[in-house]
Amino acid sequence: MDRKRLQLLLEIAILGAISFILDKIGFTMPQGGSVTLSMLPIVVMAFRWGIVGGMLTGLVSGLLQLMMGGYVLNVIQAALDYFVAYTLVGVAGVTLAWLLSGKAKGDKGSMVVAIVVGTVIGGLLRFGIHFIGGIVFFASYAPVGQPVWLYSLVYNASYMIPAIILSAIVASILFTTAPRLLERK
């Protein structure tokens, strides 16, 4: 196995585990979900290795969360809430070229915008999966008379929006103060 591939696999395993640990530290919602930095390691991998590295890290994180006490109603719900939702956070790497361009120019403002846009894209994809899951699998939690879609939207936004903002801020600080993290040696 070549050195680059081994480095990628090691970083996926380590940052996937860190994502799992960070998911346990934060504000937990009564019916699932939490405001944590669990997306940060996935976003870091997406900005270091691109979409594939980020998505594989998200998959590892989701797998660990499911195996270590995830809430399971059925196979489809488990796949959506853990595998698909966390894997899609890795799409944050879609702005990697923009981020690297900003780094090459020494333009921290451009770097921050690329990081924030990428993190928001990945976070909103995860939010979308949880929103759909809330409608399909957790409709019984909606208050009587309230549309299920509105309940799912508000409930999932109450923890996902702060988590996205928190991850974007920390990732921006991390990569602008230590841009060498974008280098894979």
Side-chain angles (χ1 to χ4, degrees):
M1 181 178 303
D2 69 28
R3 188 174 191 281
K4 287 277 190 197
R5 184 179 166 117
L6 178 60
Q7 181 181 353
L8 171 64
L9 293 176
L10 286 171
E11 287 185 26
I12 288 169
I14 292 167
L15 289 172
I18 292 170
S19 174
F20 166 74
I21 291 166
L22 288 175
D23 191 61
K24 304 302 177 198
I25 304 168
F27 302 102
T28 304
M29 300 296 288
Q31 296 156 358
S34 53
V35 179
T36 69
L37 281 171
S38 65
M39 291 190 299
L40 181 64
I42 302 166
V43 168
V44 166
M45 283 298 288
F47 293 139
R48 281 184 53 79
W49 293 94
I51 294 172
V52 172
M55 291 180 79
L56 288 172
T57 306
L59 182 64
V60 168
S61 177
L63 176 65
L64 288 171
Q65 290 180 43
L66 182 61
M67 289 174 48
M68 302 304 281
Y71 184 78
V72 178
L73 289 174
N74 59 49
V75 174
I76 297 170
Q77 174 268 327
L80 282 176
D81 276 349
Y82 295 99
F83 300 129
V84 176
Y86 282 90
T87 299
L88 287 176
V89 174
V91 174
V94 74
T95 61
L96 177 57
W98 180 5
L99 176 58
L100 293 174
S101 172
K103 179 186 177 252
K105 294 175 188 170
D107 185 355
K108 288 188 178 189
S110 177
M111 289 175 67
V112 168
V113 174
I115 292 165
V116 169
V117 169
T119 304
V120 168
I121 289 169
L124 287 178
L125 288 170
R126 177 181 165 207
F127 168 74
I129 296 300
H130 291 314
F131 171 68
I132 292 166
I135 292 170
V136 175
F137 300 108
F138 299 100
S140 62
Y141 290 102
V144 176
Q146 185 179 46
V148 173
W149 69 267
L150 181 60
Y151 169 75
S152 183
L153 180 75
V154 171
Y155 183 83
N156 287 297
S158 70
Y159 70 90
M160 282 301 308
I161 300 301
I164 292 168
I165 292 169
L166 188 60
S167 294
I169 290 169
V170 174
S172 295
I173 292 168
L174 188 63
F175 284 114
T176 56
T177 58
R180 68 186 172 281
L181 289 173
L182 293 167
E183 299 168 9
R184 298 172 289 181
K185 292 184 180 180

